[in-house]
Amino acid sequence: MTMGNPGGRRKPPTIHDVAREAGVSRGTVSRVLNGGHYVSPAAQEAVNAAIRKTGYVVNRHARSLITGRSDSVGFLLTEPQERFFEDPNFNVLLRGCTQALAAHDVPLLLMLAGTEDERRRITRYITAGHVDGVLLVSSHSGDPVAEELREAGVPLVACGKPIGLGSKVSYVAADDRDGARDMVRHLLSLGRRRIGVVTGPLDTPGGVERLAGYKEVLAEAGIGVDEQLIVSGDYSRASGEAGAERLLAQAPDMDAVFVASDLMAQGVLAALHRAGKGVPDDIAVGGFDDSPAATAATPELTTIRQPWDRISSEMVRVLLAQMGGEDPAAVILPTELVRRESA
């Protein structure tokens, strides 16, 4: 007795099925799947139509054995795992990059490497060829990952300009310095003169550039930079809260504060509320990012909008171009002041 297909399930369509439907050879289908070289436009269209009709799905593992490519991209976050879940910017960026790559049928692998051991393991994994390129997020100075991947010839695009690598690595960034300048000018326009700042980490491009923009505008306004009004944070809510407490102790006459991320600004608002300070009446607060944390804050944050959709799509575009053989490129995108209740 002959047994039927168990459960009555259809076998998935194969390359043979596509070739038969398109009326071409297996070799022609294979060439279409691997870039369409030496295939006539008519044959390519016939194969693409057959793929749609049969529902054929490429066996990526089999193809990678032939091409030596993984047909996937890594999203590498060099921060502790808890930061990925706390900071909404990372999730927004990940979603945008995933969507942009999906248009090219390229899957994205999330990689978290917050410790030195994790970074070593991930670097070995990447340089072994398990991904074709890397989108690097949150690169600190002294972090060897970007340099090691560059030296290994791995196509790489960083979110923000990697400190110390100059034009050697492709990057896409918002104009952090100009955004900070816009925010401090706005606070000055409200009549505030004792403007504190909670910086981002000063071993990251965003931390350095936003502090520089703050200082430049105060200098332009003829207001000296008071070091008692400057404290550093690490982009976490807790560091914003601690930073505000230090500012209140060091500069009790502070009448505004520029906070280098919306998540830190939430912490600043909590500390000001605990100290009995009204926002914006006593102290105006400005954030940076226009992340979901800005509208979740009470009061809602006046902030600097980073164009996350464009950042993610440009990162993917530059990476795919580099994977195709193009030279490294740099893209800097404009920011926008968004006025809400806090300033």
Side-chain angles (χ1 to χ4, degrees):
M1 180 177 174
T2 302
M3 295 295 291
N5 192 12
R9 290 177 296 185
R10 287 182 55 204
K11 290 183 179 179
T14 67
I15 193 171
H16 298 281
D17 299 319
V18 174
R20 186 166 49 250
E21 179 66 33
V24 299
S25 68
R26 276 189 68 235
T28 298
V29 176
S30 180
R31 286 193 294 275
V32 170
L33 294 175
N34 287 289
H37 303 293
Y38 310 113
V39 179
S40 70
Q44 177 136 4
E45 176 54 37
V47 170
N48 288 334
I51 289 171
R52 291 191 294 270
K53 184 172 181 179
T54 61
Y56 174 74
V57 177
V58 175
N59 185 327
R60 291 185 179 275
H61 176 66
R63 188 165 74 176
S64 71
L65 294 176
I66 299 169
T67 63
R69 295 177 58 132
S70 71
D71 285 334
S72 61
V73 164
F75 183 97
L76 175 55
L77 177 64
T78 55
E79 292 285 355
Q81 290 190 16
E82 58 269 20
R83 288 293 310 283
F84 175 74
F85 296 102
E86 180 189 27
D87 193 328
N89 291 331
F90 296 140
N91 290 282
V92 171
L93 191 61
L94 175 63
R95 184 174 66 246
C97 290
T98 300
Q99 291 171 343
L101 283 166
H104 299 274
D105 196 26
V106 176
L108 186 64
L109 279 63
L110 172 61
M111 303 172 177
L112 303 178
T115 68
E116 189 174 334
D117 285 343
E118 288 172 347
R119 286 191 284 272
R120 276 198 298 266
R121 285 195 297 272
I122 290 293
T123 301
R124 284 198 304 269
Y125 179 84
I126 292 169
T127 55
H130 293 292
V131 295
D132 295 327
V134 173
L135 301 166
L136 178 63
V137 182
S138 192
S139 177
H140 296 255
S141 64
D143 178 356
V145 170
E147 178 66 16
E148 288 175 7
L149 295 180
R150 187 191 72 83
E151 289 181 352
V154 176
L156 170 71
V157 178
C159 183
K161 184 178 181 179
I163 294 176
L165 290 179
S167 60
K168 297 177 182 178
V169 172
S170 293
Y171 66 89
V172 177
D175 195 333
D176 292 298
R177 185 178 298 218
D178 197 55
R181 290 166 61 90
D182 284 345
M183 178 57 74
V184 178
R185 286 195 189 103
H186 173 64
L187 295 173
L188 288 171
S189 76
L190 301 177
R192 311 301 168 116
R193 290 297 179 269
R194 293 287 288 166
I195 302 173
V197 61
V198 182
T199 76
L202 296 179
D203 62 348
T204 63
V208 170
E209 290 295 305
R210 294 170 201 178
L211 176 59
Y214 162 86
K215 289 181 174 180
E216 286 172 1
V217 172
L218 291 184
E220 288 171 1
I223 300 173
V225 175
D226 183 348
E227 294 299 326
Q228 295 297 305
L229 285 167
I230 301 174
V231 298
S232 61
D234 63 7
Y235 291 142
S236 69
R237 190 183 191 280
S239 73
E241 196 164 350
E245 290 172 350
R246 291 199 304 275
L247 286 172
L248 288 169
Q250 294 170 186
D253 60 340
M254 177 178 69
D255 57 11
V257 57
F258 165 46
V259 193
S261 84
D262 294 339
L263 191 61
M264 287 198 301
Q266 283 191 339
V268 167
L269 290 173
L272 295 180
H273 177 74
R274 204 164 46 243
K277 300 290 187 181
V279 177
D281 293 343
D282 298 324
I283 298 178
V285 176
F288 202 107
D289 290 332
D290 198 28
S291 70
T295 51
T298 304
E300 292 189 356
L301 282 170
T302 291
T303 188
I304 297 297
R305 175 175 293 155
Q306 295 204 61
W308 290 112
D309 288 345
R310 287 192 64 196
I311 290 172
S312 55
S313 63
E314 283 295 298
M315 287 180 70
V316 167
R317 182 188 65 79
V318 172
L319 182 63
L320 293 177
Q322 195 172 333
M323 286 162 54
E326 293 188 16
D327 291 333
V331 179
I332 298 177
L333 300 170
T335 57
E336 178 188 357
L337 176 69
V338 180
R339 295 175 176 85
R340 295 195 180 96
E341 300 168 5
S342 68

